[in-house]
Amino acid sequence: MSSIADNIESVTRRIQKATLQAGREPGSVRLLAVSKTRPPEDLLAATQAGQMAFGENYVQEALDKMTALNAVEGIEWHFIGPIQSNKTRQIAESFSWVHSVDRLKIARRLSEQRPKSLGPLNLCLQVNVNSEDTKSGCSLAELPELAAAIGELPNLNLRGLMAIPDPDQSEAELRKSFRQLANALTDLKEKYPEAGQFDTLSMGMSDDLEAAIAEGATWVRVGSALFGNRPTKQSQS
Ligand SMILES: *Cc1c(COP(=O)(O)O)cnc(C)c1O
């Protein structure tokens, strides 16, 4: 079994190679270590190998890990799971980034509840690029209005878009899904330049990060390739 440090090294090499092949600037793609269901010891091992950005899906589980790791300086916490409105305060108070906002009500609450002392919360809108599935995310059609409205909220920094395309697509279809997200970001940047920074595409996971990088990903969210396969779904909080 390979260690977490070895896995970070090999995923980093995959990212570098794909970035180079896409003719993109070295360092323009960052690795988000998706640590849901993993114990704090695994995150600690990752930090010791220099990995400081972590993505979590469940609020209470994440808060427990923040407490366990509070002696480690420089960790950046990203929330990437579905958001219930009764969890927005904890998210606004404890995370640097949220990738999974798909409705205005949640964005409003995050803006209201974000402590001013922390500065704006970095936010990505989650888009459902394969509309036949039922996963969370707004539609491409809803996106412009939603982005414009979020641009008005004071304590948020709208950074860009996130998607989880249907993994059971052909390579060509996956590429097309990632490209749709990239095109949607370009459109927003042109039409609503004041609404956000629009410098972020959160797309690509363990099995498809190369395709996502070829289409412009700036964060790849990688879990199992770093930490091994997850146990079958446990109770969520
Ligand atoms: C679990 C998860 C990932 C990581 O998936 P892997 O296939 O393990 O790399 C990425 N993004 C989101 C939103 C997730 O929930």
Side-chain angles (χ1 to χ4, degrees):
M1 211 179 82
S2 57
S3 74
I4 290 169
D6 291 340
N7 293 343
I8 290 172
E9 199 180 309
S10 66
V11 170
T12 301
R13 258 193 258 111
R14 281 174 65 192
I15 293 171
Q16 284 168 345
K17 189 168 167 220
T19 306
L20 195 70
Q21 272 175 357
R24 297 181 51 197
E25 182 112 0
S28 57
V29 183
R30 295 188 62 196
L31 172 59
L32 183 64
V34 175
S35 44
K36 63 180 174 224
T37 77
R38 300 295 164 186
E41 296 73 43
D42 286 8
L43 285 77
L44 184 62
T47 64
Q48 285 161 352
Q51 176 62 37
M52 301 310 262
F54 293 95
E56 288 281 342
N57 295 58
Y58 311 113
V59 174
Q60 191 53 53
E61 181 190 324
L63 294 177
D64 291 345
K65 287 179 213 177
M66 289 175 193
T67 304
L69 294 165
N70 91 56
V72 184
E73 262 177 67
I75 299 187
E76 187 177 275
W77 296 99
H78 295 233
F79 192 79
I80 62 172
I83 306 174
Q84 296 160 283
S85 22
N86 63 355
K87 297 284 167 65
T88 52
R89 180 173 300 281
Q90 288 162 311
I91 294 172
E93 289 176 352
S94 305
F95 286 82
S96 302
W97 283 75
V98 184
H99 294 228
S100 45
V101 173
D102 61 3
R103 51 197 202 278
L104 186 56
K105 179 187 168 193
I106 295 294
R108 281 211 183 100
R109 290 175 66 93
L110 290 169
S111 180
E112 280 161 15
Q113 294 166 342
R114 179 68 170 175
K116 287 266 192 303
S117 59
L118 294 180
L121 178 63
N122 294 297
L123 184 143
C124 292
L125 283 171
Q126 184 174 350
V127 182
N128 186 346
V129 285
N130 304 116
S131 42
E132 70 273 14
D133 73 22
T134 56
K135 274 198 206 108
S136 25
C138 72
S139 69
L140 283 165
E142 291 167 317
L143 187 56
E145 204 178 324
L146 187 54
I150 289 175
E152 304 286 320
L153 300 174
N155 301 315
L156 304 177
N157 184 1
L158 181 53
R159 297 293 297 269
L161 304 177
M162 181 273 236
I164 313 172
D166 178 359
D168 300 324
Q169 300 181 94
S170 69
E171 168 86 14
E173 287 166 331
L174 255 181
R175 285 281 293 258
K176 188 171 160 225
S177 298
F178 290 135
R179 196 172 318 136
Q180 281 179 318
L181 196 73
N183 290 341
L185 186 75
T186 305
D187 280 355
L188 289 179
K189 210 188 302 191
E190 273 172 25
K191 292 190 183 124
Y192 304 97
E194 309 294 317
Q197 211 163 318
F198 299 132
D199 59 356
T200 299
L201 282 172
S202 168
M203 57 187 197
M205 314 199 293
S206 293
D207 293 334
D208 57 14
L209 67 90
E210 283 85 1
I213 290 171
E215 298 296 345
T218 63
W219 279 111
V220 289
R221 308 179 311 269
V222 179
S224 45
L226 297 178
F227 297 113
N229 288 324
R230 282 178 293 277
T232 44
K233 206 160 199 174
Q234 61 177 32
S235 66
Q236 305 178 1
S237 54

